Amino acid sequence: MSASPQDLLREAETRLERLAADAENGALDPAIALLVAALRDGGVIQAFGTGHSEAFAMEIAGRAGGLIPTNRIALRDIVLHGERTADVLTGSLEREPWVVDELMAVSPVTENDVFVIASNSGVNGSIVGVALWAKEHGHKVIAVTSLEHTARVEPKHPSGKRLSEIADVVIDNLAPYGDSTLQVTDTISAGAISSITAAFIAQLLTLGVARTLADAGEVPPMYISANIPGGDEHNSALEARYLDRLRRGA
C-alpha cells in the first residue's frame, strides 16, 4: 500500500493530462461555445459551487488572467445581500433546496447570462436547485462534476435529479467515488483530487474563450494582475461596462 507525495503527483498528472488531451480534441468546445455566445450577447458568466467546489467558482470569476464578465454566486449572499443572519450558514446549507429562491432573488442575473456550476457529487439541494432555476429561466447550464461519484449516490433534491441530468453540457472532473485517490490504510484514504482537476478545467475554459475571441479578431475582456502598474485602472475600466452585475466581495 503506497501513499507518497509522488503517488499523489502521478494521480494528478494522469487526470490533468487526460483533461488536456480531451480539450485538444475538442471535448470542451461545446462549453466554450456557450460561454462565448453569452459574452457576445452582453451576458455574464455566473459561476456557482458550494463547499470545496466554491474554489472552482473563484477560479472562474474575478481573478488575474481570468475573464472580466464573470460573477461568483455564493450561499453567503443570502446573508450579505439578503435578510438572513449568519447563523444560517452551516455546513448543511448546501443540501437545502429552499435556499435557491432566496439566493437567486439577491443574485445579479440577467437574461443573456450563462451558468457554470461545479459540484463533485452533483446531488445536493442547492446545486441541483440553482441548475433547475437557471434552466427554468432560459439560461444555458454547464456542469463540472464527477460522473463516477454522482452515479453512485442518491439525489438530495425533491426533483430526484442530478446536476449532470439538468445541464446542457457536462464536464467530468475525473475524480473517483469519494474523491480521494490513495489508500493510507485498509479503511482510510487521502489525496482528494477534485479541487485540482476543477481548477484546471476552469482555466481550460477561460483559455478556450480567450483564444476563440482572439482568433475572431476580438479583444478578450481579461483581468490583469492588480499588483502590476496599471492593473487596477485596466480592470476597473472594463468592469464599469457591467455596472452592478459583477460582485467582487471578500
Side-chain angles (χ1 to χ4, degrees), residues 16-48:
L16 297 182
E17 287 172 357
R18 180 176 163 189
L19 288 168
D22 287 348
E24 290 284 358
N25 291 325
L28 298 186
D29 288 358
I32 292 168
L34 290 180
L35 298 174
V36 169
L39 297 190
R40 284 175 171 162
D41 287 339
V44 165
I45 298 169
Q46 300 286 349
F48 179 58

Side-chain angles (χ1 to χ4, degrees), residues 182-242:
L182 301 172
Q183 288 298 128
V184 179
T185 71
D186 289 339
T187 58
I188 301 296
S189 59
I193 206 77
S194 65
S195 296
I196 297 172
T197 56
F200 191 56
I201 290 167
Q203 294 308 319
L204 289 174
L205 292 174
T206 299
L207 177 61
V209 171
R211 288 176 58 182
T212 299
L213 294 174
D215 289 347
E218 304 171 50
V219 178
M222 310 295 292
Y223 279 107
I224 62 176
S225 174
N227 296 312
I228 64 175
D232 283 330
E233 292 79 7
H234 167 89
N235 296 338
S236 295
L238 288 177
E239 284 181 336
R241 298 180 184 178
Y242 297 91

Side-chain angles (χ1 to χ4, degrees), residues 120 149 176-180 189 192:
N120 193 59
H149 188 109
Y177 175 68
D179 204 359
S180 54
S189 59

Side-chain angles (χ1 to χ4, degrees), residues 4-16 181-182 193:
S4 71
Q6 285 297 318
D7 292 325
L8 180 58
L9 178 61
R10 280 189 288 272
E11 290 287 345
E13 284 181 336
T14 298
R15 288 169 171 81
L16 297 182
T181 57
L182 301 172
I193 206 77

Side-chain angles (χ1 to χ4, degrees), residues 1-241:
M1 188 173 296
S2 180
S4 71
Q6 285 297 318
D7 292 325
L8 180 58
L9 178 61
R10 280 189 288 272
E11 290 287 345
E13 284 181 336
T14 298
R15 288 169 171 81
L16 297 182
E17 287 172 357
R18 180 176 163 189
L19 288 168
D22 287 348
E24 290 284 358
N25 291 325
L28 298 186
D29 288 358
I32 292 168
L34 290 180
L35 298 174
V36 169
L39 297 190
R40 284 175 171 162
D41 287 339
V44 165
I45 298 169
Q46 300 286 349
F48 179 58
T50 63
H52 286 91
S53 291
E54 188 178 350
F56 172 87
M58 295 175 71
E59 286 292 318
I60 289 288
R63 64 156 299 146
L67 293 158
I68 285 177
T70 53
N71 181 63
R72 173 165 51 98
I73 297 172
L75 292 179
R76 71 182 68 87
D77 291 346
I78 64 172
V79 174
L80 296 176
H81 306 285
E83 298 180 354
R84 291 282 178 170
T85 55
D87 60 305
V88 76
L89 299 178
T90 65
S92 63
L93 184 61
E94 65 180 344
R95 300 182 177 181
E96 298 291 348
W98 63 259
V99 74
V100 173
D101 288 338
E102 293 187 28
L103 180 62
M104 301 317 300
V106 298
S107 297
V109 178
T110 57
E111 62 178 351
N112 291 323
D113 295 352
V114 60
F115 280 68
V116 188
I117 303 176
S119 171
N120 193 59
S121 69
V123 296
N124 279 326
S126 63
I127 289 292
V128 172
V130 168
L132 287 171
W133 184 98
K135 293 297 296 179
E136 289 166 1
H137 288 77
H139 301 280
K140 297 296 185 181
V141 174
I142 299 164
V144 177
T145 190
S146 166
L147 292 181
E148 179 180 335
H149 188 109
T150 198
R152 295 176 61 178
V153 292
E154 293 297 320
K156 296 181 173 65
H157 190 271
S159 68
K161 292 186 176 182
R162 298 173 174 81
L163 173 63
S164 60
E165 297 166 340
I166 302 165
D168 298 281
V169 177
V170 178
I171 301 171
D172 188 0
N173 68 15
L174 304 184
Y177 175 68
D179 204 359
S180 54
T181 57
L182 301 172
Q183 288 298 128
V184 179
T185 71
D186 289 339
T187 58
I188 301 296
S189 59
I193 206 77
S194 65
S195 296
I196 297 172
T197 56
F200 191 56
I201 290 167
Q203 294 308 319
L204 289 174
L205 292 174
T206 299
L207 177 61
V209 171
R211 288 176 58 182
T212 299
L213 294 174
D215 289 347
E218 304 171 50
V219 178
M222 310 295 292
Y223 279 107
I224 62 176
S225 174
N227 296 312
I228 64 175
D232 283 330
E233 292 79 7
H234 167 89
N235 296 338
S236 295
L238 288 177
E239 284 181 336
R241 298 180 184 178

